[in-house]
Amino acid sequence: MNEYQRMWRRLNSILKLQIREYQNADAVTGGLDYENEIEMDTWEGVLQEMDRIEEDIKERE
């Protein structure tokens, strides 16, 4: 695994952890405030785009 792949996976893990923290806070408090909800949605969108890019790369290899 090259350096870029390790960095990509690390970023992916960090984003998943951040999303999980928001989801846990949502479950504990019964809802996130508007700003946190938007931020969580944004991170989820970034993660989905990363997954799409990764699939594109795998198909080209």
Side-chain angles (χ1 to χ4, degrees), residues 11-42:
L11 178 58
N12 189 290
S13 295
I14 290 168
L15 290 175
K16 286 181 180 178
L17 178 62
Q18 184 69 33
I19 291 167
R20 194 171 311 117
E21 287 176 3
Y22 280 115
Q23 290 169 337
N24 289 341
D26 186 26
V28 169
T29 64
L32 297 172
D33 62 22
Y34 180 74
E35 290 83 13
N36 287 329
E37 187 72 36
I38 295 297
E39 190 169 334
M40 183 177 74
D41 289 346
T42 301

